[in-house]
Amino acid sequence: MAEDTQSTITYGIFNETAEYESRVALTPDIVKRLKRSSVECVIESNAGHAAGFSDEDYVKAGARIGSKDEVIKQAQAFGFVGRPDDELVGKLPKGSWVIGMLGSFTDQEYVDRLDKAGLVGVGIEKLPRQLSSAQSMDEMTSQNSVMGYKAVLKAADAYGSFFPMMTTAAGTIRPAKVLILGAGIAGLQAIGTARRLGAVVTAYDVRPAAKGEVLSLGAKFLDLGLDFSKGQGEGGYARQLTAEEQAAQQAAVDKKAAEFDVVITTAKVPGRKPPVLLTKAGVDGLHRGAVIVDCAASELGGNVEGSEPNQTIVTDNGVQLIGAPDLASGVATTASNLLARNVADVLAHFVHDGSLAMDLNEELDNAMVVAGRDATATKEEEK
C-alpha cells in the first residue's frame, strides 16, 4: 500500500447479518495498515465481537466506533464479508464503493440494483487470480485454506473413532481412511491437516496436474483403474473427456468412495453451482458410521448429491452427510485477519492521490468493477 500524506478516504465496516457468519471485514491490525495509507476506518459497534475483537481493540488501533447510521454518514467505501442487503443498499449514498463477494456471477439483478443506486460495486469473486499483483487480494484462496483445515476438524469430531492409529491395552485401533475430493487450496489444506491428525489420506482431482501436489503432501492419489491417456488435444495439451468417459470417471469415484471412513469434498465455486463429486450411489455405498463433509453445500447445490447447507443428514444406511458451507466462520479470528487484508488491499488498489478512482483499461479493474462504472458522484461533490 503506497503512503499518502492526505487522509481523504474513510472506510466503513458493518456488523455482518448472515445467520452463520462470525467473521468481520476489518481487524485492528488492518486499521493500522490502512492508516499508513491515509485511509481512516469507522466500524459499527460490536461488529468484531464474534471474531474476537472488541470495540476497544479497534479504538486503540485508530478506528472510530459508531452506529450503522454513523458509518453510512462518514464513509465513502464499505467492506463486506458477503454483500449488503437491499435495505442497506438503499441507504448508502450515491457514489459510495461497495467491496465484497457480491455474487455477480449468478445474480445480475443484484448488480443492477447497485447500479441503479449509483454505487460502485467491486466483486472480489471476479478477481483475476492469475495476476501476481492480485495475490494479496485473493479472498477465495485465504478463506478456502481456512475451510480445508476446519473441514477435517468437523469430520474428526463427527467420526466415531480416532483418526490416528492407537495402541491400547484393549488392542490396536486402525487409523481412519480419509478421502479428499478436490485438490485445490482447500483440498490441499485438508490433506495436510488430516495427515497431521494421523489419518491415512487419499485424494482425487480431475486435473492431472494435481497428482503431483497430492503426492508431495504424503497422501495417495486415488487410482480409478481407468485410462484416459489415449489421444490428446490441440498443441499436445490434455483433451476434454467425452460424456461417456466423464460418466465412467464418476462411477469409479462413487465405487472407490466405499473404501473410506471419511469423505471431504472441497470444490466450492463462489457464486456458481458447484460440481457434483459424489452422487447418491456413492453416498449409499459408504458403510454405516462413515462421515461426509460437503464444503460446497449451498442453495445452488453441493459437491455431494443430497447435501443441504448447514444441516447434518443421517442417511438410511447410517452415513452422516454434513453440509458445511460456512466453515471459515468457525475459525473466525484467523479467517477475519486474512479476509480483512484481502479486502483492504482491494480498496488500496483503487486509492489514488487521496481519492477513489478506477482505470478501466486495467485488466484487474475491468474484471472486478461489476457495477457503477459511470458513478462519479461523491459525498463531497453532492454537498
Side-chain angles (χ1 to χ4, degrees):
M1 296 183 185
E3 299 238 357
D4 195 298
T5 57
Q6 295 181 342
S7 292
T8 57
I9 301 299
T10 299
Y11 180 46
I13 300 294
F14 300 100
N15 202 330
E16 296 285 331
T17 57
E19 183 178 359
Y20 298 98
E21 188 56 75
S22 299
R23 295 168 294 175
V24 63
L26 181 68
T27 60
D29 283 347
I30 299 302
V31 171
K32 297 175 184 177
R33 181 179 176 86
L34 285 170
K35 199 170 186 67
R36 293 196 297 268
S37 297
S38 300
V39 175
E40 296 182 352
C41 298
V42 56
I43 183 168
E44 185 180 0
S45 182
N46 296 332
H49 275 202
F53 305 108
S54 68
D55 286 354
E56 183 180 8
D57 293 332
Y58 287 103
V59 171
K60 286 181 179 178
R64 299 192 298 273
I65 303 296
S67 66
K68 177 178 289 187
D69 288 342
E70 288 171 331
V71 174
I72 292 171
K73 183 178 180 180
Q74 295 177 32
Q76 298 85 47
F78 303 92
F80 297 87
V81 174
R83 66 185 192 181
D85 58 25
D86 288 346
E87 180 182 359
L88 185 53
V89 166
K91 292 181 178 180
L92 297 180
K94 184 177 181 181
S96 299
W97 289 57
V98 174
I99 304 170
M101 289 287 193
L102 303 182
S104 59
F105 283 119
T106 56
D107 196 348
Q108 185 59 43
E109 289 185 3
Y110 180 82
V111 172
D112 291 342
R113 288 196 291 275
L114 294 179
D115 246 331
K116 187 175 181 180
L119 304 176
V120 179
V122 181
I124 301 180
E125 67 275 6
K126 287 193 171 178
L127 181 78
R129 291 172 177 82
Q130 73 278 8
L131 297 180
S132 59
S133 60
Q135 290 180 359
S136 68
M137 309 175 196
D138 191 353
E139 178 181 333
M140 188 174 77
T141 293
S142 73
Q143 300 306 290
N144 280 1
S145 182
V146 178
M147 178 181 77
Y149 165 81
K150 188 65 173 180
V152 175
L153 301 186
K154 188 87 171 177
D157 186 54
Y159 182 51
S161 186
F162 298 131
F163 263 33
M165 182 177 73
M166 290 282 188
T167 301
T168 73
T172 298
I173 300 168
R174 70 168 179 82
K177 296 168 67 177
V178 175
L179 175 63
I180 312 294
L181 294 179
I185 297 296
L188 295 175
Q189 183 65 255
I191 290 169
T193 304
R195 277 185 47 76
R196 285 190 289 273
L197 289 179
V200 176
V201 183
T202 302
Y204 183 73
D205 195 291
V206 295
R207 298 172 296 116
K211 182 175 182 179
E213 296 177 323
V214 168
L215 296 176
S216 72
L217 290 175
K220 302 174 184 176
F221 194 79
L222 186 66
D223 182 7
L224 298 181
L226 301 173
D227 183 8
F228 298 135
S229 62
K230 293 181 180 179
Q232 61 183 23
E234 294 181 7
Y237 293 101
R239 62 180 174 83
Q240 184 174 355
L241 298 183
T242 66
E244 292 78 11
E245 289 171 331
Q246 290 176 358
Q249 184 182 57
Q250 183 63 68
V253 171
D254 288 340
K255 183 177 180 180
K256 287 284 187 179
E259 302 172 7
F260 295 89
D261 305 304
V262 172
V263 179
I264 297 172
T265 63
T266 64
K268 190 173 185 179
V269 186
R272 291 179 173 173
K273 182 179 175 60
V276 174
L277 305 182
L278 192 69
T279 70
K280 185 178 185 299
V283 175
D284 291 343
L286 293 172
H287 65 78
R288 181 170 295 275
V291 174
I292 303 170
V293 176
D294 183 358
C295 297
S298 71
E299 290 74 14
L300 298 174
N303 293 151
V304 182
E305 212 169 359
S307 69
E308 295 289 340
N310 299 301
Q311 291 189 32
T312 297
I313 299 169
V314 180
T315 68
D316 292 340
N317 56 323
V319 175
Q320 289 189 66
L321 175 50
I322 303 171
D326 299 302
L327 288 169
S329 284
V331 195
T333 301
T334 294
S336 295
N337 275 319
L338 297 172
L339 183 150
R341 167 70 187 275
N342 300 144
V343 181
D345 279 10
V346 172
L347 169 67
H349 169 77
F350 292 102
V351 175
H352 300 282
D353 298 325
S355 62
L356 289 162
M358 61 183 115
D359 178 0
L360 293 176
N361 292 320
E362 293 186 11
E363 182 178 356
L364 193 151
D365 297 31
N366 271 316
M368 285 202 299
V369 179
V370 298
R373 297 190 178 203
D374 298 325
T376 57
T378 63
K379 292 179 181 179
E380 288 75 16
E381 291 172 340
E382 290 177 337
K383 288 179 180 178

